[in-house]
Amino acid sequence: MTPDELSEALSAALASAVADGTLALDADALPSSVHVERPKQREHGDWATNVALQLAKKAGTTPRALAEDLAGRLGSTPGIKAVDVAGPGFLNITLEAGAAGELARTIVEAGAEYGRSDALDGQVIDLEYISANPTGPLHIGHTRWAALGDSLVRILRAAGADVTAEYYINDAGAQMDRFGASVLAQIHGTEVPEGGYRGEYVAELGRQVLAANPQIVDLPEDEAVALARDEAYRLQLAEIRDVLDSFGVHFDVWFSERTLHDSGAVTTAVERLREQGHVYDDGGAVWLRTTDFTDDKDRVLIRANGEPTYFAADAAYYLSKKDRGFPGKIYLLGADHHGYINRLKAISAAAGDDPAANIEILIGQLVSVQGAKLSKRAGNIIELRDLVEWIGADAVRYSLSRYPADTPLELAGEEMIKQSNDNPVFYVQYAHSRTCAVDRNAADRAVRRVLDDGTDGFDPALLDHPTEAVLVGRLTEFPRIVAQAAELREPHRIARYLEGLAADYHKWYAECRVLPYPDEEVQDVHRTRLWLNDAVRQVLANGLDLLGVSAPERM
RNA sequence: GCGCCUGUAGCUCAGUGGAUAGAGCGUCUGCCUCCGGAGCAGAAGGUCGGGGGUUCGAGUCCCUCCAGGCGCACCA
């Protein structure tokens, strides 16, 4: 029996109580679905609901009286072993072991599909994340968005959404020229210009640019800067793509800001917004009246000197996403960008969209290392590449995915490396590799889920140990957890769930042997437990995949 | 000054109005004669930042104060 089926049974009980006049409520005053949840305390049964507490007052009765009545109506439902009324009026429901354990077979047969849902079916979404400037390597700050963004893509897809992962390359503007000048300065061995980029990577880029373009030293200054800029940009972008690849993060679209300028899309965007009636001229500049919406001041699109602002490119980029057919646009941004929320929503509204439905801005808090702020220009960066090399992609991804994005994260500098062995990712991965070890040993002992005669030897009623009720209950929750993580855009819920599942599995493993002892015959209890073992293996693998973390067969 | 985020165990953090507030790490005590000890069982450790309020019920919602982070450009 699944929680959905249980919920329906409760709805039916409520409806019958209304029908025979026991419950003095209109049928349409009943909740559309009854919420059931896993109680924290094991002795409170497999599932619990507070529906009696919520309805009693409206019906002019007491929660306990209503709960008692519902308990009576539910008692004879097939698959339900016991219904108890507890505390102020909770209904605690215990399922028959067989009814609950059937899930193990369902999961094994569903395989990688278990956990997927249609919760977000039909939604077409563009999810933009990282979008770091191509003027330096990705550092630990970007790494958080890389891990969260990619996991979110996977989770949204598992919930049925059609998602395109997109990286916006800020390859236009004065910063690129400063970048080129900085690289050129390294080539010439001169001082890094004011506001330029520093760090060993700039020197390395200089060496590579010089090696491939020895003629650069003879070019006029402006041509040399342009060449250094374009060559270093190409190298740096390739480096970013390469390191993301090694991190298991892949984008469907790499979108160049420069193409917006070169194609005239920025100019067109300003015109389109003007047609919508939200653009005006003042002081020689062109403004978007973002205060028509939720912004606290208007924003400049075209400066008095004729140059478009970064904001104008943002508007053009938004229109591009709209034109390319994405009703849903999710931006995953760092907290240092939260000042843009209102103006981005204003762009959406000014373009004729509904900001509440067409744009969603997720703000993630920044990562700090022992209080030190990380600055590219200061050169004190911890690079993603180094992190992966030190503690491994799995451990980095997992430890950044197990916290909500809006939690400010403080990582302990040197501790991080030695911390790797204590990372909860190994606890979860170990549980998975343990299920695989059981499978290997089962094969050696000729314990199989399906017998030679075609019967499967699966008897869920044999899963009657307390740790099995807990474990099966946890497996039941997985699809809801995935759907919830998708709807709330919170990948960390997957990680926390997996930690709980791994704990339940380890406890079960310590209490219930899957394989027979050497002098023992293979019986259905062993085969049935193997089904459960493999169901856990499948859910661990499915969950880890949603986080972009590997599920090793051996460690 | 204004806005957004955060404040929960020694540390890093879970907990989208429910019952006795949890996990990992750290500390202490047990458990490998049989499926992997990267594990299990147990102990210690909390005025959920302070104060009001709403509710049958508040770590969770509202108000207020305190503390920390981030942001308030014709920069990108």
Side-chain angles (χ1 to χ4, degrees), chain A residues 390-402:
Chain A
W390 291 338
I391 65 182
D394 281 348
V396 174
R397 284 197 64 143
Y398 191 89
S399 53
L400 290 171
S401 298
R402 67 189 293 272

Side-chain angles (χ1 to χ4, degrees), chain A residues 181-182 185-186 189-194 198:
Chain A
S182 302
Q186 287 289 347
T190 55
E191 194 73 11
V192 175
E194 183 69 23
R198 299 166 195 282

Side-chain angles (χ1 to χ4, degrees), chain A residues 269 272-273 276-278 288-295 299 301 311-323 326-331 340-361:
Chain A
R272 285 170 67 181
L273 293 173
Q276 293 282 334
H278 301 292
L288 182 67
R289 194 177 289 105
T290 54
T291 51
D292 282 352
F293 308 102
T294 52
D295 208 359
R299 306 290 168 178
L301 289 167
F311 180 61
D314 276 341
Y317 185 37
Y318 181 90
L319 287 170
S320 162
K321 289 177 178 174
K322 178 177 159 77
D323 293 344
F326 298 110
K329 302 164 203 71
I330 300 180
Y331 294 71
Y340 304 154
I341 297 176
N342 284 336
R343 70 190 73 165
L344 283 174
K345 288 189 172 172
I347 289 173
S348 175
D353 278 354
D354 173 11
N358 299 122
I359 185 168
E360 182 176 339
I361 300 161

Side-chain angles (χ1 to χ4, degrees), chain A residues 9-41:
Chain A
L10 280 158
S11 293
L14 283 170
S16 75
V18 169
D20 66 20
T22 311
L23 186 56
L25 276 179
D26 289 338
D28 56 8
L30 297 176
S32 56
S33 74
V34 178
H35 182 67
V36 296
E37 60 184 15
R38 301 277 299 167
K40 288 176 194 161
Q41 271 78 38

Side-chain angles (χ1 to χ4, degrees), chain A residues 76 108 120 135 171 174 190 224 268 281 298 366 372-373 387 442 451 480 482:
Chain A
S76 57
V108 171
L120 302 183
T135 54
D171 54 1
T190 55
T268 309
D281 301 298
D298 291 340
L366 303 177
K373 286 203 295 183
L387 277 175
L451 301 176
R480 310 173 122 197
V482 177

Side-chain angles (χ1 to χ4, degrees), chain A residues 76-377:
Chain A
S76 57
T77 306
I80 292 180
K81 184 178 179 186
V83 182
D84 300 305
V85 178
F90 292 101
L91 277 174
N92 292 336
I93 298 155
T94 306
L95 302 180
E96 297 281 1
E102 183 61 36
L103 179 74
R105 175 158 54 190
T106 305
I107 291 172
V108 171
E109 287 170 354
E113 291 299 306
Y114 184 69
R116 304 185 69 87
S117 72
D118 55 4
L120 302 183
D121 235 12
Q123 296 195 20
V124 180
I125 297 169
D126 177 281
L127 172 54
E128 179 202 334
Y129 64 102
I130 308 180
S131 295
N133 295 346
T135 54
L138 297 181
H139 56 66
I140 192 169
H142 304 123
T143 305
R144 187 175 198 185
W145 318 136
L148 285 175
D150 182 63
S151 295
L152 195 51
V153 168
R154 294 164 187 254
I155 290 164
L156 292 173
R157 284 177 181 158
D162 177 358
V163 184
T164 295
E166 191 152 327
Y167 188 116
Y168 183 51
I169 312 165
N170 297 133
D171 54 1
Q175 55 164 350
M176 292 303 291
D177 293 328
R178 279 200 295 274
F179 178 50
S182 302
V183 172
L184 188 62
Q186 287 289 347
I187 291 172
H188 287 150
T190 55
E191 194 73 11
V192 175
E194 183 69 23
Y197 294 87
R198 299 166 195 282
E200 172 53 30
Y201 79 93
V202 182
E204 175 58 28
L205 284 170
R207 283 191 286 275
Q208 290 186 39
V209 170
L210 179 60
N213 308 274
Q215 78 282 11
I216 195 169
V217 293
D218 300 320
L219 293 176
E221 177 72 8
D222 55 343
E223 284 179 39
V225 167
L227 180 60
R229 179 195 65 201
D230 292 346
E231 286 292 282
Y233 163 40
R234 193 175 54 77
L235 290 166
Q236 190 59 59
L237 185 60
E239 154 69 18
I240 287 173
R241 296 176 71 138
D242 184 65
V243 72
L244 284 175
D245 194 58
S246 73
F247 201 50
V249 173
H250 307 286
F251 286 91
D252 302 306
V253 175
W254 292 78
F255 197 100
S256 158
E257 179 191 354
R258 196 185 283 180
T259 64
L260 288 172
H261 295 279
D262 293 349
S263 68
V266 174
T267 310
T268 309
V270 174
E271 289 165 6
R272 285 170 67 181
L273 293 173
R274 194 188 287 276
E275 286 165 15
Q276 293 282 334
H278 301 292
V279 171
Y280 66 93
D281 301 298
D282 185 53
V286 179
W287 297 71
L288 182 67
R289 194 177 289 105
T290 54
T291 51
D292 282 352
F293 308 102
T294 52
D295 208 359
D296 52 1
K297 58 169 293 195
D298 291 340
R299 306 290 168 178
V300 171
L301 289 167
I302 309 292
R303 289 187 266 265
N305 67 8
E307 288 293 315
T309 60
Y310 185 83
F311 180 61
D314 276 341
Y317 185 37
Y318 181 90
L319 287 170
S320 162
K321 289 177 178 174
K322 178 177 159 77
D323 293 344
R324 281 183 285 140
F326 298 110
K329 302 164 203 71
I330 300 180
Y331 294 71
L332 179 51
L333 301 176
D336 53 343
H337 286 72
H338 87 248
Y340 304 154
I341 297 176
N342 284 336
R343 70 190 73 165
L344 283 174
K345 288 189 172 172
I347 289 173
S348 175
D353 278 354
D354 173 11
N358 299 122
I359 185 168
E360 182 176 339
I361 300 161
L362 307 175
I363 293 297
Q365 296 299 306
L366 303 177
V367 178
S368 63
V369 175
Q370 287 179 335
K373 286 203 295 183
L374 302 162
S375 165
K376 221 182 312 190
R377 294 180 193 179

